[in-house]
Amino acid sequence: MTTNQKLYGKDLSAYDDVDVDTLLSQLSPEEINILAKEVDPDDNLLPPSQRCSYACDKDPTGPLNRKKLIEHINKQALETPDKPELKPYVPGTIRGKKWIPPPPSAKEAEAEEQITIDLGDEYEHALSAATQEEIIDLAAILGFHSMMNQDQYHASLLSKGQPIGLGWDGITKASQPKPYPADPPNMTDPDTTIKQVQDDDHTLIDLNWNNIKNISEEKFTQLFEALPSNTHLETLSLTNTAMTDTTALKLAEALEHNNTLRVVNVETNFISPAVIVRLIKSLLTTKSIEEFRASNQRSQVLGNKIEMEITGLVEQNPTLLRLGLHLEYNDARHRIAMHLQRNIDRNRLRRMGRASRNYTIGFVMHRNSMQE
């Protein structure tokens, strides 16, 4: 059970319709200065000079002269005397008491003594006459993995014989990595797929723009404007497409009017945490998205405020089954995981109820046909 966050005795949703500009116009210049010192705009697009609460009241002495500043710093460093040492340093002399390690105790000395194990005459004779390869195979059979490298271990299991020069006293070499072919480039044509989405092509169910470079903002806009009228597209993948906040906001507006999309993937882009919240909030309108992924963005850390807001939005969504986001706080991870599990259980029970209802209908129809 979740509790709504409150501010001055009211829910935060009560302040959604408040006009901030009207409130700011009612403040005096002194009150605005006080507010600016206490409130962080939390906008990384602003320069640090505008986000810093410190304000210098002194008049400027002139433009910045970097050369004079460095000369002044060097002059101050040379003129400042070093702190005198309490005891002057003399090379070759020991200052203070030299630490001498204590002798080991009797128990430690006994533990370090070599332990002899009597294996019997038969085993002693067998091991003394065994070759180095046979001893390595025996170590592999007994599971002594730390005594050998991977090549020796796999050679013992496959009975291929030990590689030359890899005995107990041999040089262990790194295994050569197996080359794997690179993934082929995404050959999807954005213009063609945009035309298919606009025409509501029934053959286009999965749209994959992953890893396509240099997609213009105009093409994103054309795609997102066509999504509300599309009734066949179910999967939208936009991973590593350099999507920004501007295009992501247009995607959020499109998701609020689309009823057929089931999977949306916008991982590895340049979307800010606030816009991620806006995207997750847009899923509550139609409640048709079952999987949403938006990890690995420009800002790796969302922050406690953003994570709690995302948690509250996810707990209001009864259809979301999978969420791909990196959450730092355990409370947010636990609450989201519990809610997604409840959605999965609810979806499974709904499918089981539908299957049992269909079975009952089929059984009754079959019985009626047999009676006739």
Side-chain angles (χ1 to χ4, degrees):
M1 182 176 180
T2 60
T3 58
N4 296 328
Q5 298 180 355
K6 293 186 178 182
L7 180 64
Y8 297 111
K10 296 182 180 180
D11 294 336
L12 293 181
S13 59
Y15 298 96
D16 292 341
D17 299 333
V18 176
D19 190 0
V20 179
D21 295 334
T22 304
L23 295 177
L24 293 177
S25 62
Q26 299 175 2
L27 299 178
S28 62
E30 294 78 9
E31 293 174 338
I32 291 179
N33 291 332
I34 296 174
L35 180 64
K37 293 181 179 180
E38 295 181 353
V39 178
D40 185 1
D42 195 14
D43 188 357
N44 52 8
L45 299 179
L46 289 177
S49 60
Q50 298 183 16
R51 295 189 61 182
C52 182
S53 60
Y54 171 74
C56 182
D57 299 331
K58 297 181 181 180
D59 296 331
T61 57
L64 174 64
N65 191 331
R66 184 174 180 272
K67 183 178 179 181
K68 289 186 177 181
L69 177 62
I70 294 177
E71 290 177 355
H72 174 72
I73 294 174
N74 293 334
K75 182 181 177 182
Q76 291 290 329
L78 293 175
E79 293 178 353
T80 303
D82 297 334
K83 294 182 179 180
E85 296 184 356
L86 298 178
K87 187 175 182 180
Y89 172 72
V90 179
T93 60
I94 299 175
R95 305 173 66 177
K97 185 179 179 181
K98 186 177 180 180
W99 182 80
I100 301 175
S105 61
K107 292 183 179 180
E108 294 179 356
E110 293 177 0
E112 292 179 357
E113 292 180 358
Q114 185 176 3
I115 301 175
T116 58
I117 301 175
D118 186 11
L119 299 177
D121 296 337
E122 183 179 357
Y123 290 103
E124 291 285 352
H125 177 71
L127 291 176
S128 61
T131 62
Q132 191 178 72
E133 293 185 358
E134 293 174 347
I135 295 177
I136 294 175
D137 293 338
L138 179 61
I141 295 173
L142 297 177
F144 297 152
H145 310 292
S146 59
M147 299 175 62
M148 61 189 69
N149 56 28
Q150 275 193 339
D151 294 335
Q152 293 173 339
Y153 178 71
H154 291 295
S156 300
L157 295 182
L158 300 177
S159 300
K160 290 184 177 179
Q162 294 299 323
I164 299 175
L166 289 181
W168 298 121
D169 53 352
I171 300 175
T172 302
K173 298 181 180 180
S175 302
Q176 293 295 329
K178 296 181 181 180
Y180 289 95
D183 294 335
N186 193 346
M187 304 304 295
T188 305
D189 186 12
D191 295 329
T192 303
T193 52
I194 289 174
K195 187 67 169 58
Q196 288 180 292
V197 174
Q198 291 174 346
D199 297 340
D200 198 7
D201 189 356
H202 67 279
T203 60
L204 183 63
I205 299 177
D206 186 353
L207 176 58
N208 185 357
W209 279 9
N210 293 346
N211 303 318
I212 298 180
K213 305 298 182 181
N214 302 323
I215 299 179
S216 63
E217 184 177 346
E218 180 183 359
K219 293 182 180 180
F220 278 120
T221 303
Q222 293 176 359
L223 173 65
F224 298 154
E225 289 179 351
L227 284 179
S229 59
N230 189 281
T231 58
H232 295 90
L233 188 64
E234 297 182 0
T235 303
L236 180 63
S237 300
L238 302 173
T239 301
N240 193 21
T241 55
M243 184 186 298
T244 59
D245 288 347
T246 305
T247 52
L249 289 174
K250 296 179 182 179
L251 173 61
E253 296 177 359
L255 294 178
E256 292 178 348
H257 300 87
N258 185 282
N259 298 313
T260 57
L261 278 174
R262 296 291 179 268
V263 179
V264 176
N265 190 344
V266 291
E267 293 180 336
T268 317
N269 285 297
F270 301 101
I271 305 175
S272 62
V275 180
I276 293 178
V277 174
R278 177 68 179 86
L279 287 169
I280 297 177
K281 187 176 182 180
S282 65
L283 307 181
L284 296 175
T285 304
T286 58
K287 297 180 181 180
S288 61
I289 304 295
E290 298 178 354
E291 180 177 349
F292 178 78
R293 299 186 178 275
S295 60
N296 193 25
Q297 301 297 332
R298 176 178 58 186
S299 179
Q300 297 291 338
V301 179
L302 299 177
N304 183 53
K305 178 182 177 182
I306 296 295
E307 290 190 10
M308 290 298 103
E309 193 170 353
I310 290 175
T311 302
L313 294 174
V314 171
E315 289 177 338
Q316 299 176 29
N317 196 321
T319 58
L320 190 64
L321 304 180
R322 286 173 291 276
L323 179 67
L325 274 178
H326 175 70
L327 301 176
E328 181 181 5
Y329 295 92
N330 294 330
D331 183 29
R333 290 201 300 264
H334 177 71
R335 288 168 57 183
I336 289 178
M338 292 295 294
H339 181 75
L340 295 181
Q341 186 60 46
R342 284 195 294 268
N343 288 348
I344 293 174
D345 295 341
R346 191 184 303 112
N347 193 22
R348 185 183 70 253
L349 293 176
R350 189 183 301 112
R351 289 199 310 267
M352 293 175 59
R354 190 183 301 114
S356 61
R357 185 174 63 254
N358 294 338
Y359 175 78
T360 304
I361 294 174
F363 176 78
V364 172
M365 294 179 63
H366 177 71
R367 186 187 61 181
N368 294 338
S369 62
M370 293 294 294
Q371 291 178 357
E372 292 177 358

